[in-house]
Structure formats: structure tokens, C-alpha cells
Amino acid sequence: MADLTTELEAYGIDYTDAIDRFGGSADFYEKLALRYLDDSNYVNLVAAMEAEDYDAAYKAAHSLKGVSGNLSFARLFKVAAAASDALYQGEPQAAATLMPELKEAHEQVLAGLTKWQNGEL
């Protein structure tokens, strides 16, 4: 587990926290974490921001914050929470400035999950 913990940490995934959160069930956590590969919240957020539909953007950012928090995607959670808060406070430009970092954190998690799924970790 120590190796997997270290390897996932490089992708912004706090495996130790996740296993604690999931009551020690590594298999259950893996199953749910890998479902994130099909999660549409990030894509919905990007589309809503591009369309300047800030209500939809807030909903997507808030959902992304929840999913990433529950799955212990630490960096993604932090940035999604900041974007969600900015949108909630009616500050779409502040949220827009976070989008590059959000994209990077999202892609980092996807890369780690893909490697995990493919047995490369």
C-alpha cells in the first residue's frame, strides 16, 4: 500500500485519507475512484463557463468539489472549492482565473486513475 500511496500522491490523490474515509476498504475505494474517469462535472463546468451560464457553472463546480472531496483528490478539491465559492459569491471572473489550474488538477487525477486502472501503478 505504501507504494500505491506514494504513486497516487503524485497525481493529487490522497490515498491514505481515502482509505480512512472508506473504512479501510481499498477495493471499494478503487471501484468508486475509477468511476471518476466517466464523471462529467468538469466537462459541464467548462461548457457552462464558456457559455457564461454561471448558475450551471456553479452547480457543476459544486458537484466537482463534492466528488473530488469524497474521493480525496486533494488538489482538485481545493481548486474546485475555490471556483465554486467564487461562482457562489457572484464572481465569475475569479472563477475563470482558476480554470487553467482546475484543468491541470483534473487532468492530473485522470492520468493517475488511468495508470491505476491499467495496472501501471
Side-chain angles (χ1 to χ4, degrees):
M1 181 166 112
D3 291 333
L4 184 60
T5 299
T6 302
E7 290 175 353
L8 288 174
E9 187 176 288
Y11 296 97
I13 301 169
D14 187 339
Y15 188 71
T16 301
D17 181 66
I19 295 305
D20 286 345
R21 182 183 312 274
F22 281 78
S25 181
D27 290 338
F28 185 55
Y29 174 69
E30 180 179 359
K31 178 181 175 182
L32 291 182
L34 293 178
R35 283 188 183 172
Y36 183 77
L37 292 168
D38 297 320
D39 188 88
S40 63
N41 287 305
Y42 173 77
V43 172
N44 294 342
L45 173 57
V46 170
M49 289 296 288
E50 288 174 356
E52 298 182 7
D53 181 349
Y54 300 123
D55 288 335
Y58 168 70
K59 289 175 187 170
H62 187 72
S63 294
L64 183 59
K65 176 180 89 168
V67 168
S68 60
N70 286 334
L71 294 173
S72 300
F73 300 161
R75 181 171 173 228
L76 181 59
F77 170 75
K78 180 181 174 185
V79 183
S84 176
D85 290 348
L87 289 162
Y88 181 76
Q89 294 167 3
E91 299 174 4
Q93 293 307 321
T97 64
L98 295 166
M99 293 305 290
E101 186 178 357
L102 192 60
K103 178 181 181 183
E104 185 179 301
H106 169 73
E107 289 176 350
Q108 183 183 38
V109 167
L110 291 181
L113 292 176
T114 299
K115 285 187 174 207
W116 192 14
Q117 183 180 47
N118 293 339
E120 298 171 22
L121 297 181

